[in-house]
Amino acid sequence: MIYLISLLALAALFALGTATPINMGVLAFAAAFTIGPLLSDMSLDDVVGAFPANIFVVIVGITLLFGIARTNGTVDLIVTGLLKLVRGRRWAILWLMFVLGAALMSVGAVLAVGMLAPIAMPIARKHKIDPLLMGMMISHGVLGAAFSPINLYGAFINGWLEHAGLHVNSFALFVIPLGLNFLIALALFLKRGRHLFHEDAVDGGVAEEGGTESGPAKSSEGRPATGAGGATALAARLTSVTVPAPAVDADSERPGFTPIRILTLLGLVGTLLSAAVYDLDVGVASMVVAGVLLMVAPRRHKEAMNDITWSAVLLVCGMLTYMSVLEANGTLKYLGDAAAGLGSPYATVFVLCLAVAAISAIGSSIGTLGIVLPLAAPMLGQGELGVTAFVAALAFCTVVVDVSPFSSNGVMVLVNAQVEDRDAFQRRLLRYCGVIVGVAPVLATAFVLVTAVV
């Protein structure tokens, strides 16, 4: 009965979030504060303690830091430098972002999407590249490299397997999800971006929401206009915002390097190094750097505060809090046990991959991994399936769905997308996530089957 009520409440969150303008994060908090104490043996303090403070700090810190960089012209400086590397070739820009995302994630920068999206999405707008294509190329590069041995995800999964006495090839565990994400990125590029091979680079211009010909209208303040529709759109309830234009002052209009841009660049590099080399939380690092930059030039950077998308923050934190309640009352474990009870090992692989993809799309990837690995442990120990292939399949399906607007990665793409109709773009991103939830388990199960036959 507890599991049924918990799942019905989750379904109700989606239904109400679709039919009304209520932020789903508020509904998720309400459900957590109700179901937690009444049905899950959790006190209110326990539910409050499940609040994902780290995700809150990450989203706010990264968004604010890049808002500052955009306001003082540093982002434009970076964009210009990146474009010089590929000489304006739009197809090369996309693959450059894929490679950069994978490289950053490989060395431990877990929030690499948050670092690249504020740079890449303005490039997509300027060069008439489909913003969904750009955002997903970044995301699949980052998510594909999530299981590097020196990354949080890779260290977690390798540590758990070692503790469980299961041996896997850590390099294969890194390469397999990367290869599968590359296949998805390649398919997406061939579907939505292959025409870029035959077109010369364009200078200037603005891409519309679908990445086609005409550009978005702007408000009188110079910001991309936000669509007025979408009263029934799920994602539009959550992250419908405008992206502020840079504040205009004498320094921000000067070309090239200025003292504040140099300081901002040093701060961005310091944030990256602190995460990749010194294992410092990227949210903490970005918040500290942003605080310093705000103190150095408070008037120049005051517009950067408008970049923080509080509706998106509320969405992610509310949903993660409710998922913690479902984990505590055993609902997530119940779903995993039901999948593990199937007869065929390949059917079990598929059902588990589908379950973790669906759950992780609205919850914590690392938390989902922590649930599914113990559930899969009996099968892993039986030797019917290759341990490395099975674990890599589960890991891939858990992380690839972080393209979801319910994840911090998806949120970063949403809040930085410069489109005419943000509501429509959010719906496209949500539909794409649904496709990935369906395709990833099929791709992962096929991989396990092929490796077993070979």
Side-chain angles (χ1 to χ4, degrees), residues 43-288:
S43 66
L44 279 175
D45 288 340
D46 292 334
V47 177
V48 172
F51 179 83
N54 59 325
I55 295 296
F56 175 86
V57 173
V58 162
I59 296 176
V60 174
I62 286 290
T63 305
L64 178 58
L65 178 57
F66 275 94
I68 291 171
R70 177 164 38 240
T71 299
N72 63 30
T74 303
V75 168
D76 289 337
L77 197 64
I78 296 173
V79 166
T80 301
L82 287 174
L83 289 177
K84 288 180 179 178
L85 292 177
V86 295
R87 298 180 180 179
R89 296 182 180 90
R90 292 186 289 170
W91 67 267
I93 292 172
L94 289 167
W95 288 106
L96 172 66
M97 292 303 169
F98 179 91
V99 172
L100 282 175
L104 289 173
M105 193 66 156
S106 296
V107 297
V110 179
L111 266 295
V113 172
M115 295 178 178
L116 290 178
I119 298 172
M121 300 314 284
I123 295 178
R125 180 176 176 228
K126 179 179 179 181
H127 286 267
K128 296 185 179 180
I129 298 173
D130 181 354
L132 178 68
L133 178 59
M134 175 66 85
M136 295 305 96
M137 291 296 286
I138 299 170
S139 297
H140 285 300
V142 170
L143 299 174
F147 294 97
S148 162
I150 60 174
N151 185 283
L152 169 65
Y153 292 92
F156 168 78
I157 200 168
N158 282 295
W160 183 89
L161 290 167
E162 182 179 353
H163 178 75
L166 298 169
H167 174 73
V168 297
N169 185 322
S170 59
F171 179 74
L173 184 59
F174 168 48
V175 171
I176 292 169
L178 181 59
L180 294 177
N181 271 277
F182 171 78
L183 291 178
I184 293 176
L186 180 61
L188 181 63
F189 176 81
L190 292 176
K191 178 177 178 58
R192 304 197 64 89
R194 65 178 183 273
H195 63 281
L196 300 177
F197 280 119
H198 310 296
E199 298 177 5
D200 293 331
V202 296
D203 34 319
V206 179
E208 66 175 358
E209 184 276 328
T212 53
E213 296 178 357
S214 61
K218 286 190 176 182
S219 70
S220 60
E221 298 176 351
R223 299 185 179 97
T226 303
T232 61
L234 170 62
R237 301 289 169 273
L238 314 171
T239 54
S240 182
V241 294
T242 56
V243 180
V248 177
D249 58 33
D251 186 74
S252 64
E253 291 183 335
R254 288 170 54 190
F257 291 94
T258 63
I260 192 62
R261 289 174 188 161
I262 293 174
L263 185 60
T264 303
L265 283 171
L266 291 175
L268 294 173
V269 172
T271 300
L272 172 60
L273 292 178
S274 65
V277 179
Y278 299 105
D279 201 27
L280 182 65
D281 185 278
V282 69
V284 173
S286 60
M287 194 74 79
V288 170

Side-chain angles (χ1 to χ4, degrees), residues 166 376-385 387:
L166 298 169
M379 286 189 63
L380 293 173
Q382 291 174 2
E384 294 184 69
L385 300 170
V387 175

Side-chain angles (χ1 to χ4, degrees), residues 260-326:
I260 192 62
R261 289 174 188 161
I262 293 174
L263 185 60
T264 303
L265 283 171
L266 291 175
L268 294 173
V269 172
T271 300
L272 172 60
L273 292 178
S274 65
V277 179
Y278 299 105
D279 201 27
L280 182 65
D281 185 278
V282 69
V284 173
S286 60
M287 194 74 79
V288 170
V289 173
V292 172
L293 292 172
L294 287 173
M295 288 188 291
V296 169
R299 294 185 182 277
R300 182 178 301 158
H301 294 146
K302 66 179 182 178
E303 292 293 328
M305 295 297 297
N306 295 332
D307 276 24
I308 301 175
T309 315
W310 294 110
S311 60
V313 174
L314 187 58
L315 158 68
V316 174
C317 293
M319 290 303 299
L320 291 183
T321 301
Y322 185 63
M323 294 304 292
S324 296
V325 172
L326 296 191

Side-chain angles (χ1 to χ4, degrees), residues 424-446:
F425 179 72
Q426 290 168 341
R427 290 193 294 270
R428 289 181 65 205
L429 184 56
L430 195 60
R431 287 195 298 269
Y432 180 78
C433 177
V435 171
I436 294 299
V437 169
V439 168
V442 175
L443 188 59
T445 305

